[in-house]
Amino acid sequence: MTIIPNVRCGDMDRSIAFYTGVLDFQLEERWPEVGNPAFARLRRESDYLYLSTHGGDGVFGQAVAVIVPRVDPLFDVFRARGLDPSHKPQSPVHQGPVDQTWGTREFYVDDPDGNTLRFTQLLE
């Protein structure tokens, strides 16, 4: 079984630029090639993420967990590419990796539409 998150976005070009330019996703396909409404399939390593500007495809402000081997170097890479967490100074988990009481180390990234990607490292 494969489960693929469908993330709602307001402007496909802006979202693709953020996900590919900052977060290491690769654009596989987009329909249509220009304009909105649109749908896109992105890939990061062997996992997929769908972006959609269609009204019935999800809601703004959702959260998606992204399990990664190590969060600290990944956060540094994203910051070097322009990730700016300053819009949520009250949220330590947006400012950098944090050990959680449930056995993970995480940092959160909000996309341009307020959807949150929770980059999560499972601790042993």
Side-chain angles (χ1 to χ4, degrees):
M1 176 193 309
T2 301
I3 298 173
I4 302 172
N6 191 70
V7 175
R8 177 88 186 272
C9 57
D11 180 281
M12 187 59 73
D13 291 332
R14 180 185 67 188
S15 293
I16 288 172
F18 179 77
Y19 280 86
T20 60
V22 176
L23 302 184
D24 287 334
F25 284 86
Q26 296 175 336
L27 176 63
E28 293 224 319
E29 292 192 72
R30 175 194 167 142
W31 305 273
E33 290 184 20
V34 295
N36 289 298
F39 185 86
R41 183 176 67 231
L42 305 179
R43 183 176 50 82
R44 188 174 191 283
E45 298 178 5
S46 62
D47 296 307
Y48 289 92
L49 178 77
Y50 293 160
L51 297 177
S52 177
T53 62
H54 293 272
D57 287 348
V59 296
F60 296 111
Q62 64 185 306
V64 175
V66 181
I67 308 299
V68 297
R70 296 181 59 231
V71 294
D72 291 89
L74 191 58
F75 183 76
D76 294 340
V77 167
F78 292 171
R79 288 296 307 267
R81 290 187 186 147
L83 177 66
D84 178 10
S86 65
H87 67 286
K88 287 206 171 176
Q90 76 288 359
S91 173
V93 79
H94 278 83
Q95 306 310 309
V98 173
D99 287 344
Q100 302 287 20
T101 58
W102 47 85
T104 62
R105 185 163 175 76
E106 302 176 347
F107 70 89
Y108 295 176
V109 173
D110 289 348
D111 76 6
D113 292 295
N115 301 300
T116 302
L117 280 82
R118 297 176 177 168
F119 288 88
T120 303
Q121 174 184 340
L122 305 174
L123 299 176
E124 296 179 19

